[in-house]
């Protein structure tokens, strides 16, 4: 069996608007799909390269002549392949490990197809994305261990070979998470005080705290910037950071300067996914984001904008690590 392991407040106003020079920091949306996926899920992500032979990428026609081997498999002679998730509907507690299995077989004979590469995909806000490659065993089976925080959909695809047709799973794995316990009401002498258990917000196919923070941040993409907002429907820059790390059991203070003081200093250039990027000087931090890798960060930028992945525009910045 082939296996792998993947892990997918109060209100106070705080200055988080970028200084004028940052207004020119544009969201680098060109060719960021692979980068976004890698930074969301972690360094173990397998990112597909460009399809070779596609139109405009060196594609060439095959011309039959006397030297052509006409016995080679053609599209019509390829074997039809079946592919399915073996445990499509599972209910678990948040962050509880669960094994997800896949089966690849000859559609006509149902014989297992061994030693074949299959690609596991998770459903992100932007669509399906490959995050893991597995190889089937002698039973045509492969699996990995997932840990999720809310209901997550997973599927699998097979690109095919010279002899086998490509295929997509006929079903999906729906990993359902049991609801978190309701808020506990604590009776006081005069008024009832609600002690809320923070609701875990998303599935996290990642292992480290920083990778989880990046993935959580990515799931807030498109939510509007609102000055002083701390989520879950809108954020300012430090409100986003506070919200993300609260879901991971880390309590951060509210404002940019307070969060700067509460984190461990890391040398610029040594930042890792999940580290906090601060702009300005201690005592006058005016903006911040969550480092995603590749010179980019997840950030709630400014009024009129939304949470998004943005290139770090400044040459000088400070780095803080949540521990």
């Amino acid at each position: 069996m082939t296996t792998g392991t993947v892990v997918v407040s109060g209100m106070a106003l705080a200055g988080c608007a970028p200084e004028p020079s940052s207004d020119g920091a544009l969201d680098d949306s060109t060719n960021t799909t692979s980068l976004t996926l890698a930074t969301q899920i972690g360094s173990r992500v397998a990112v597909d390269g460009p399809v070779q032979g596609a139109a405009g990428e060196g594609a060439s026609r095959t011309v039959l002549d006397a030297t052509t081997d006409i016995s080679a498999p053609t599209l019509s002679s390829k074997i039809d392949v079946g592919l399915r998730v073996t445990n499509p509907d599972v209910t678990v507690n948040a962050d509880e490990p669960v094994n997800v299995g896949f089966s690849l077989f000859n559609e006509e004979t149902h014989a297992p197809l061994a030693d074949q590469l299959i690609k596991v995909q998770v459903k992100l806000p932007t669509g399906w994305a490959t995050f893991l490659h597995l190889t089937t065993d002698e039973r045509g089976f492969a699996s990995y261990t997932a840990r999720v925080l809310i209901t997550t959909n997973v599927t699998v695809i097979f690109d095919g070979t010279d002899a086998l047709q490509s295929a997509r799973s006929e079903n999906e794995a729906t990993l359902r998470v049991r609801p978190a316990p309701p808020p506990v009401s604590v009776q006081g002498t005069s008024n009832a005080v609600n002690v809320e258990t923070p609701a875990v917000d998303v599935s996290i196919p990642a292992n480290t705290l920083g990778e989880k923070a990046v993935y959580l941040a990515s799931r807030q993409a498109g939510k509007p910037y609102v000055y002083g907002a701390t989520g879950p429907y809108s954020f300012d820059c430090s409100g986003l950071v506070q919200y993300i790390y609260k879901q991971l059991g880390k309590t951060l203070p509210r404002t940019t300067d307070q969060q700067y003081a509460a984190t461990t200093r890391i040398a610029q250039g040594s930042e890792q996914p999940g580290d906090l990027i601060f702009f300005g000087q201690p005592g006058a931090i005016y903006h911040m984001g969550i480092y995603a890798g590749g010179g980019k960060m997840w950030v709630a930028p400014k009024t009129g904008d939304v949470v998004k992945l943005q290139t770090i525009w400044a040459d000088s910045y400070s780095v803080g690590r949540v521990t």
Side-chain angles (χ1 to χ4, degrees):
M1 179 185 301
T2 302
T3 60
T5 301
V6 179
V7 267
V8 7
S9 80
M11 171 73 72
L13 300 183
C16 284
E19 65 179 4
S21 61
S22 69
D23 290 343
L26 301 178
D27 181 28
D28 183 6
S29 59
T30 305
N31 196 26
T32 60
T33 301
S34 297
L35 171 65
T36 302
L37 177 60
T39 56
Q40 287 173 351
I41 300 182
S43 60
R44 296 168 308 289
V45 175
V47 180
D48 299 331
V51 177
Q52 299 300 314
E57 297 183 10
S60 60
R61 292 184 300 173
T62 301
V63 180
L64 294 179
D65 56 24
T67 64
T68 301
D69 181 6
I70 60 175
S71 66
T74 63
L75 184 62
S76 60
S77 67
K78 287 186 177 183
I79 297 171
D80 288 332
V81 169
L83 181 61
R84 66 170 180 262
V85 180
T86 58
N87 52 338
D89 199 342
V90 180
T91 300
V92 294
N93 295 320
D95 208 31
E96 176 184 350
V98 56
N99 192 261
V100 185
F102 312 98
S103 178
L104 185 71
F105 53 92
N106 183 311
E107 183 72 33
E108 181 177 358
T109 67
H110 292 278
L113 297 174
D115 299 320
Q116 301 299 323
L117 183 71
I118 59 176
K119 298 178 179 180
V120 186
Q121 297 190 327
V122 64
K123 194 170 188 179
L124 301 175
T126 53
W128 290 100
T130 298
F131 70 95
L132 185 65
H133 289 186
L134 299 174
T135 302
T136 57
D137 61 15
E138 67 277 2
R139 300 170 298 163
F141 181 79
S143 69
Y144 82 104
T145 301
R147 305 175 75 97
V148 297
L149 296 184
I150 67 164
T151 298
T152 301
N153 294 101
V154 174
T155 192
V156 64
I157 60 174
F158 174 61
D159 285 341
T161 67
D162 289 343
L164 301 172
Q165 292 276 23
S166 61
R168 186 178 186 88
S169 176
E170 61 193 41
N171 57 357
E172 298 174 4
T174 301
L175 311 180
R176 305 180 190 278
V177 175
R178 294 183 181 93
V184 178
S185 181
V186 180
Q187 298 295 328
T189 56
S190 58
N191 297 312
V193 179
N194 287 330
V195 180
E196 295 186 0
T197 301
V200 180
D201 198 37
V202 302
S203 62
I204 301 179
N207 282 321
T208 70
L209 178 68
E211 289 170 352
K212 290 179 180 181
V214 171
Y215 192 72
L216 281 165
S218 76
R219 295 302 293 260
Q220 312 313 312
K223 293 182 179 180
Y225 174 98
V226 175
Y227 182 75
T230 57
Y233 305 111
S234 59
F235 302 94
D236 66 12
C237 65
S238 58
L240 173 66
V241 172
Q242 184 188 53
Y243 177 84
I244 294 303
Y245 274 100
K246 183 178 180 180
Q247 310 310 306
L248 298 172
K250 298 293 183 179
T251 301
L252 289 176
R254 176 64 186 92
T255 69
T256 52
D257 278 303
Q258 290 170 343
Q259 291 180 15
Y260 176 90
T263 51
T264 302
R265 299 279 70 75
I266 303 296
Q268 182 177 338
S270 299
E271 55 267 25
Q272 298 295 320
D275 287 345
L276 306 184
I277 305 298
F278 296 95
F279 301 92
Q281 300 301 316
I285 303 295
Y286 65 87
H287 196 47
M288 66 184 301
I290 300 175
Y291 186 64
K296 293 179 180 291
M297 62 181 179
W298 283 102
V299 63
K302 58 184 177 180
T303 300
D305 212 333
V306 297
V307 174
K308 63 185 178 183
L309 188 68
Q310 188 176 62
T311 299
I312 297 175
W313 66 85
D315 294 330
S316 178
Y317 52 86
S318 300
V319 183
R321 181 165 296 169
V322 179
T323 58

